[in-house]
Short mmCIF file of all heavy atoms in Angstrom, two decimals:
data_model
loop_
_atom_site.label_atom_id
_atom_site.label_comp_id
_atom_site.label_asym_id
_atom_site.label_seq_id
_atom_site.Cartn_x
_atom_site.Cartn_y
_atom_site.Cartn_z
N PRO S 1 68.30 10.40 81.20
CA PRO S 1 67.84 11.36 82.21
C PRO S 1 66.66 12.22 81.76
O PRO S 1 65.77 12.54 82.55
CB PRO S 1 69.09 12.23 82.46
CG PRO S 1 70.23 11.39 82.04
CD PRO S 1 69.72 10.57 80.90
N MET S 2 66.63 12.59 80.48
CA MET S 2 65.50 13.38 79.99
C MET S 2 64.21 12.56 80.01
O MET S 2 63.12 13.12 80.20
CB MET S 2 65.78 13.89 78.58
CG MET S 2 66.82 15.00 78.50
SD MET S 2 66.48 16.44 79.55
CE MET S 2 64.90 16.98 78.92
N ALA S 3 64.32 11.24 79.80
CA ALA S 3 63.13 10.40 79.91
C ALA S 3 62.60 10.41 81.34
O ALA S 3 61.38 10.44 81.58
CB ALA S 3 63.46 8.97 79.47
N VAL S 4 63.51 10.38 82.31
CA VAL S 4 63.09 10.47 83.72
C VAL S 4 62.44 11.82 83.99
O VAL S 4 61.39 11.92 84.64
CB VAL S 4 64.30 10.26 84.65
CG1 VAL S 4 63.90 10.44 86.12
CG2 VAL S 4 64.90 8.87 84.44
N LEU S 5 63.06 12.89 83.49
CA LEU S 5 62.53 14.23 83.72
C LEU S 5 61.17 14.40 83.05
O LEU S 5 60.26 15.02 83.63
CB LEU S 5 63.52 15.26 83.16
CG LEU S 5 63.61 16.58 83.93
CD1 LEU S 5 64.12 16.32 85.33
CD2 LEU S 5 64.55 17.54 83.21
N THR S 6 61.01 13.86 81.85
CA THR S 6 59.72 13.94 81.17
C THR S 6 58.63 13.25 81.98
O THR S 6 57.50 13.75 82.08
CB THR S 6 59.81 13.30 79.77
OG1 THR S 6 60.84 13.95 79.03
CG2 THR S 6 58.50 13.41 79.03
N ALA S 7 58.97 12.11 82.58
CA ALA S 7 58.00 11.41 83.43
C ALA S 7 57.64 12.24 84.66
O ALA S 7 56.47 12.33 85.06
CB ALA S 7 58.58 10.06 83.86
N VAL S 8 58.63 12.90 85.25
CA VAL S 8 58.37 13.74 86.43
C VAL S 8 57.50 14.93 86.05
O VAL S 8 56.60 15.34 86.82
CB VAL S 8 59.71 14.21 87.02
CG1 VAL S 8 59.50 15.31 88.06
CG2 VAL S 8 60.45 13.03 87.66
N TYR S 9 57.72 15.50 84.87
CA TYR S 9 56.94 16.67 84.44
C TYR S 9 55.47 16.34 84.19
O TYR S 9 54.67 17.26 83.97
CB TYR S 9 57.55 17.25 83.16
CG TYR S 9 58.86 17.98 83.37
CD1 TYR S 9 59.62 18.38 82.28
CD2 TYR S 9 59.34 18.27 84.64
CE1 TYR S 9 60.82 19.05 82.45
CE2 TYR S 9 60.53 18.93 84.82
CZ TYR S 9 61.28 19.32 83.72
OH TYR S 9 62.46 19.98 83.89
N LEU S 10 55.11 15.08 84.20
CA LEU S 10 53.71 14.73 84.05
C LEU S 10 52.87 15.18 85.25
O LEU S 10 51.66 15.32 85.14
CB LEU S 10 53.56 13.21 83.86
CG LEU S 10 54.09 12.65 82.55
CD1 LEU S 10 54.00 11.13 82.55
CD2 LEU S 10 53.34 13.22 81.37
N VAL S 11 53.52 15.41 86.40
CA VAL S 11 52.77 15.80 87.60
C VAL S 11 52.07 17.14 87.40
O VAL S 11 50.83 17.24 87.56
CB VAL S 11 53.70 15.83 88.83
CG1 VAL S 11 52.95 16.35 90.06
CG2 VAL S 11 54.26 14.43 89.11
N PRO S 12 52.77 18.23 87.06
CA PRO S 12 52.03 19.48 86.81
C PRO S 12 51.10 19.39 85.61
O PRO S 12 50.09 20.09 85.55
CB PRO S 12 53.14 20.52 86.59
CG PRO S 12 54.34 19.74 86.21
CD PRO S 12 54.23 18.44 86.94
N ARG S 13 51.43 18.54 84.65
CA ARG S 13 50.54 18.37 83.50
C ARG S 13 49.20 17.80 83.92
O ARG S 13 48.15 18.24 83.44
CB ARG S 13 51.21 17.46 82.47
CG ARG S 13 50.34 17.18 81.26
CD ARG S 13 51.05 16.31 80.25
NE ARG S 13 50.17 15.96 79.14
CZ ARG S 13 49.89 16.74 78.12
NH1 ARG S 13 50.43 17.94 78.05
NH2 ARG S 13 49.09 16.35 77.16
N VAL S 14 49.21 16.84 84.84
CA VAL S 14 47.96 16.25 85.33
C VAL S 14 47.11 17.32 86.01
O VAL S 14 45.92 17.48 85.73
CB VAL S 14 48.25 15.09 86.30
CG1 VAL S 14 46.99 14.70 87.06
CG2 VAL S 14 48.78 13.89 85.54
N VAL S 15 47.74 18.07 86.91
CA VAL S 15 46.99 19.02 87.73
C VAL S 15 46.46 20.18 86.89
O VAL S 15 45.29 20.58 87.03
CB VAL S 15 47.86 19.54 88.88
CG1 VAL S 15 47.11 20.59 89.70
CG2 VAL S 15 48.30 18.38 89.77
N TYR S 16 47.27 20.73 86.01
CA TYR S 16 46.89 21.95 85.30
C TYR S 16 46.36 21.70 83.90
O TYR S 16 45.27 22.16 83.55
CB TYR S 16 48.07 22.93 85.28
CG TYR S 16 48.25 23.59 86.61
CD1 TYR S 16 49.10 23.04 87.56
CD2 TYR S 16 47.54 24.72 86.96
CE1 TYR S 16 49.25 23.62 88.82
CE2 TYR S 16 47.66 25.31 88.20
CZ TYR S 16 48.52 24.76 89.13
OH TYR S 16 48.65 25.32 90.37
N GLN S 17 47.10 20.96 83.06
CA GLN S 17 46.65 20.78 81.68
C GLN S 17 45.44 19.85 81.59
O GLN S 17 44.55 20.06 80.77
CB GLN S 17 47.80 20.22 80.84
CG GLN S 17 48.96 21.19 80.66
CD GLN S 17 48.57 22.41 79.84
OE1 GLN S 17 47.78 22.31 78.92
NE2 GLN S 17 49.14 23.55 80.17
N GLN S 18 45.40 18.80 82.41
CA GLN S 18 44.36 17.80 82.27
C GLN S 18 43.19 17.99 83.23
O GLN S 18 42.16 17.36 83.03
CB GLN S 18 44.95 16.40 82.44
CG GLN S 18 45.96 16.06 81.37
CD GLN S 18 46.46 14.64 81.49
OE1 GLN S 18 46.15 13.93 82.43
NE2 GLN S 18 47.26 14.22 80.52
N TYR S 19 43.35 18.79 84.26
CA TYR S 19 42.23 18.98 85.19
C TYR S 19 41.81 20.44 85.34
O TYR S 19 40.65 20.77 85.17
CB TYR S 19 42.58 18.40 86.56
CG TYR S 19 41.43 18.51 87.53
CD1 TYR S 19 40.33 17.65 87.43
CD2 TYR S 19 41.40 19.49 88.52
CE1 TYR S 19 39.26 17.77 88.29
CE2 TYR S 19 40.33 19.61 89.38
CZ TYR S 19 39.26 18.76 89.27
OH TYR S 19 38.19 18.88 90.11
N LEU S 20 42.75 21.33 85.62
CA LEU S 20 42.37 22.68 86.01
C LEU S 20 42.22 23.66 84.85
O LEU S 20 41.51 24.66 84.99
CB LEU S 20 43.40 23.25 86.99
CG LEU S 20 43.25 22.85 88.45
CD1 LEU S 20 44.37 23.46 89.28
CD2 LEU S 20 41.90 23.29 89.01
N LEU S 21 42.88 23.43 83.70
CA LEU S 21 42.91 24.47 82.68
C LEU S 21 41.53 24.81 82.16
O LEU S 21 41.18 25.99 82.02
CB LEU S 21 43.82 24.05 81.53
CG LEU S 21 44.07 25.12 80.47
CD1 LEU S 21 44.63 26.39 81.09
CD2 LEU S 21 45.00 24.60 79.39
N GLY S 22 40.71 23.79 81.85
CA GLY S 22 39.36 24.07 81.39
C GLY S 22 38.55 24.83 82.43
O GLY S 22 37.76 25.73 82.10
N LYS S 23 38.73 24.48 83.71
CA LYS S 23 38.02 25.17 84.78
C LYS S 23 38.53 26.61 84.93
O LYS S 23 37.74 27.53 85.19
CB LYS S 23 38.20 24.40 86.09
CG LYS S 23 37.67 22.96 86.03
CD LYS S 23 37.94 22.23 87.35
CE LYS S 23 37.59 20.76 87.21
NZ LYS S 23 36.19 20.52 86.88
N LEU S 24 39.84 26.80 84.78
CA LEU S 24 40.38 28.16 84.89
C LEU S 24 39.81 29.07 83.81
O LEU S 24 39.58 30.26 84.06
CB LEU S 24 41.90 28.12 84.80
CG LEU S 24 42.64 27.61 86.04
CD1 LEU S 24 44.12 27.38 85.73
CD2 LEU S 24 42.49 28.57 87.21
N HIS S 25 39.57 28.53 82.61
CA HIS S 25 38.95 29.34 81.56
C HIS S 25 37.55 29.78 81.98
O HIS S 25 37.13 30.90 81.68
CB HIS S 25 38.88 28.53 80.27
CG HIS S 25 40.17 28.51 79.49
ND1 HIS S 25 40.78 29.65 79.04
CD2 HIS S 25 40.94 27.47 79.10
CE1 HIS S 25 41.89 29.32 78.39
NE2 HIS S 25 42.02 28.01 78.42
#
C-alpha cells in the first residue's frame, strides 16, 4: 500500500517540486 501511496504522491511533486518551486522563488 505504501508503494501505491508513494506513486500517488508524485502528483503534487510534479506540480510543485518539479515545475512551480523554481518559479515561486
Side-chain angles (χ1 to χ4, degrees):
M2 288 306 301
V4 176
L5 214 63
T6 303
V8 168
Y9 287 170
L10 292 175
V11 175
R13 178 178 175 81
V14 167
V15 177
Y16 284 92
Q17 293 294 325
Q18 296 184 354
Y19 183 75
L20 278 178
L21 187 56
K23 301 177 188 299
L24 286 170
H25 279 301

